[in-house]
Amino acid sequence: MARLLWTDPFWNGKRKPFVIGVVMSSLSVIMMFFVVMSYLYGSLYKSPSRAHRLNILAVDYDGGVIGQSLSAGYSALKGDKFPTLHFHSPDEFRTVEDIRNAVCRGDYWAAIVAQDGASSRLSAALGGGIAAAGYNSSNTLTYVYNEARYPTVQSGYILSNMQTLIGAAGTIYGSLNGTSAVQFLNTNDPNATLALMNPISASSINIMPTPQGTKVLYNTVTLVLPIIQQFFFLMALNGISHQFGIYGYLSSLHVGLIRMIVAISYTFLASLTLAGYVWIFKEDWGVTGGQFMLTWMAMWLYMHVNFLVLDAATAFVPLSFLTFFVLPWAIINITSTIFPFELSPGLYRLGYALPGYQIVSILFQVWSGGCNNQLGRSLPVLFGWEIIGGVASGWGVVYRNKAAREEVLKAEAGSKQPPQSSSSTQRILRKSEGHVGESRNKAERRNTGPPGLPMPFQGMYLSAQEGGEMELENMKSKRT
């Protein structure tokens, strides 16, 4: 217990390197988390003020007062925090199906239309009779959206604003046409009165209903965990390879083939489990077996890309600093998937080059039955990462195998030295072996760090440690 005292001789030569190592490690990790989390938070900073970048198609098939109310309602709501409506003539989009296809293609986030003859039906309903009894205010406006494409954005920015717009259109109808409508109202018919009180509401066309609660995880946790999963497996694979002498005893070609087979097999099974738990908890989501297979294949490609990237990183980045690569890689990928670029600052459009964004685009296409087709962009980017990762990973295999082979040759050369008969020679040899062992331990600590120090901090310890050892040697020489 006496050694716990800071003045105990146990701490001689250790005080300075210990303090430096702790301070450097803590500051480095704190700054790393500050930077990567600032990058993540920055993607959502003031995102409501960018809602005007979400484009919505608007078509007036009615040509009457209800269509005018829709246009006036948008004019009242128009601003940075409201999606931008693009009004087009019925000649450009002749049917509602044409409008649905435009939303499905991803040309617009949603669409809203004033239905043909809506104003005429309302006028007839105000006169009472059969027209009033059959009047349905939801046949005045219709909006179209695709819930499978960024579900949280659809609910938070599209649907809520569509309801606000519809309410504004109903209010403006009262100010535009309320006085004249009362003059033609059949007050003896309660259905006519109801039509005047609730003239405008809306029906909706949801291209792919996505009602399950797990939808909030699809473009967030579901896409970051595969990166962490590949890293954990690579740590185990590298440890097993060193334990069984794979490196240094086999040719680089053989080692590369073994790792390629392992990578393909592991990511194949891991992507199956990912698709499996998505489907297990899909509830009433109307996806098919074919979409399950496409999800599985897409995630297989995504996992294999991350396996190659992280495999190359583990080859060239020192183990003690590997966390400083893995965490930022995971964060920048997940940042590119949680929100569309329309709602983020322009800086974040660099996410187009990341596998995370491209895979989420493919998944949205698969789950919505082929809508928002971005394969022409997504597949080249993903296969580009396959090529880059494959080359870097192969180079890493050669690099590690060459270094391991040099160690094996040194060990074999040392074991072939003839034994010495002289006792003094034996003592010299043992002393030399002790120095070699000490040097080897120092070299190992350069890669693994001192015992008990967490992996991200070990590399930072080296310079402080060497300084402390020199100080301790100087103290010993002065005493003698």
Side-chain angles (χ1 to χ4, degrees):
M1 296 298 293
R3 289 187 173 183
L4 293 177
L5 298 176
W6 193 244
T7 57
D8 189 86
F10 169 79
W11 290 102
N12 291 344
K14 300 178 182 178
R15 297 181 184 90
K16 182 178 179 180
F18 177 79
V19 172
I20 292 176
V22 171
V23 172
M24 290 176 59
S25 300
S26 61
L27 291 179
S28 298
V29 173
I30 289 171
M31 287 305 301
M32 179 187 67
F33 272 86
F34 177 79
V35 170
V36 297
M37 294 310 295
S38 295
Y39 181 82
L40 176 61
Y41 274 62
S43 67
L44 305 177
Y45 182 66
K46 292 186 177 181
S47 56
S49 64
R50 301 185 189 92
H52 63 280
R53 296 180 181 177
L54 300 176
N55 296 323
I56 295 178
L57 173 63
V59 179
D60 181 11
Y61 291 117
D62 175 54
V65 67
I66 290 181
Q68 295 171 8
S69 300
L70 175 63
S71 178
Y74 170 66
S75 298
L77 296 171
K78 185 178 180 179
D80 289 343
K81 296 185 178 182
F82 196 84
T84 299
L85 265 65
H86 297 271
F87 285 88
H88 290 263
S89 69
D91 293 335
E92 297 178 70
F93 299 90
R94 295 185 177 277
T95 64
V96 174
E97 185 64 22
D98 293 335
I99 293 175
R100 179 194 179 279
N101 291 336
V103 176
C104 180
R105 288 193 304 269
D107 299 340
Y108 301 92
W109 279 89
I112 187 167
V113 300
Q115 294 188 17
D116 186 21
S119 297
S120 300
R121 290 192 294 272
L122 178 57
S123 298
L126 295 177
I130 297 176
Y135 182 73
N136 185 353
S137 61
S138 64
N139 287 335
T140 54
L141 300 177
T142 299
Y143 59 92
V144 184
Y145 66 105
N146 180 11
E147 191 178 5
R149 182 188 181 192
Y150 290 99
T152 55
V153 174
Q154 295 291 336
S155 60
Y157 288 84
I158 301 300
L159 295 182
S160 60
N161 284 318
M162 287 296 96
Q163 293 299 328
T164 301
L165 176 60
I166 293 162
T171 301
I172 290 176
Y173 171 83
S175 62
L176 289 177
N177 198 51
T179 302
S180 59
V182 171
Q183 298 176 0
F184 298 99
L185 177 65
N186 184 349
T187 57
N188 296 322
D189 191 331
N191 291 323
T193 304
L194 289 175
L196 179 63
M197 297 298 294
N198 184 27
I200 299 175
S201 62
S203 58
S204 65
I205 299 175
N206 188 355
I207 295 176
M208 184 58 188
T210 309
Q212 68 277 20
T214 54
K215 63 186 177 183
V216 299
L217 304 176
Y218 291 163
N219 60 314
T220 54
V221 178
T222 303
L223 294 180
V224 72
L225 285 183
I227 299 176
I228 308 301
Q229 185 178 3
Q230 305 316 306
F231 175 65
F232 286 164
F233 178 71
L234 274 167
M235 290 296 96
L237 178 61
N238 291 340
I240 293 170
S241 298
H242 285 290
Q243 180 180 355
F244 289 94
I246 301 299
Y247 287 111
Y249 291 94
L250 298 179
S251 68
S252 298
L253 177 60
H254 289 164
V255 175
L257 288 174
I258 291 173
R259 294 181 74 88
M260 182 182 70
I261 294 172
V262 171
I264 293 174
S265 302
Y266 174 75
T267 53
F268 180 81
L269 294 176
S271 58
L272 174 61
T273 61
L274 187 150
Y277 59 69
V278 169
W279 249 249
I280 290 172
F281 298 99
K282 69 182 183 67
E283 300 178 26
D284 297 327
W285 196 21
V287 286
T288 65
Q291 289 170 309
F292 172 84
M293 293 298 298
L294 291 174
T295 301
W296 180 11
M297 294 299 102
M299 292 309 302
W300 185 16
L301 176 59
Y302 177 62
M303 286 190 175
H304 193 258
V305 165
N306 280 287
F307 184 98
L308 295 176
V309 171
L310 294 176
D311 188 31
T314 58
F316 298 108
V317 179
L319 184 62
S320 52
F321 293 96
L322 196 55
T323 302
F324 291 86
F325 175 85
V326 176
L327 181 63
W329 173 254
I331 293 299
I332 63 173
N333 270 278
I334 196 62
T335 301
S336 70
T337 68
I338 55 177
F339 247 38
F341 293 141
E342 289 90 336
L343 297 176
S344 299
L347 166 68
Y348 293 87
R349 294 182 185 271
L350 62 85
Y352 277 117
L354 296 173
Y357 176 78
Q358 302 304 337
I359 198 65
V360 81
S361 298
I362 293 176
L363 291 176
F364 288 153
Q365 177 184 347
V366 170
W367 294 336
S368 57
C371 291
N372 194 36
N373 188 343
Q374 303 293 330
L375 291 179
R377 180 193 64 209
S378 298
L379 289 180
V381 172
L382 288 170
F383 282 115
W385 277 106
E386 275 279 329
I387 295 172
I388 295 172
V391 171
S393 177
W395 186 17
V397 168
V398 174
Y399 173 78
R400 282 185 288 202
N401 202 42
K402 182 180 179 180
R405 185 59 184 169
E406 291 176 355
E407 292 296 326
V408 169
L409 293 176
K410 288 180 181 179
E412 292 178 349
S415 64
K416 292 180 180 180
Q417 293 181 357
Q420 301 291 331
S421 58
S422 172
S423 59
S424 60
T425 305
Q426 294 291 340
R427 285 195 299 270
I428 294 173
L429 181 60
R430 285 195 296 268
K431 185 176 180 180
S432 176
E433 289 176 349
H435 287 300
V436 171
E438 183 179 354
S439 300
R440 184 178 300 168
N441 290 335
K442 290 181 180 179
E444 290 176 353
R445 287 197 295 271
R446 287 186 175 92
N447 294 324
T448 61
L453 194 62
M455 185 181 70
F457 317 146
Q458 294 164 352
M460 305 171 188
Y461 185 84
L462 177 60
S463 59
Q465 180 193 45
E466 291 178 345
E469 289 175 351
M470 293 177 63
E471 182 179 345
L472 184 59
E473 290 296 332
N474 292 333
M475 292 177 62
K476 289 181 178 179
S477 63
K478 289 180 182 179
R479 290 179 181 177
T480 57

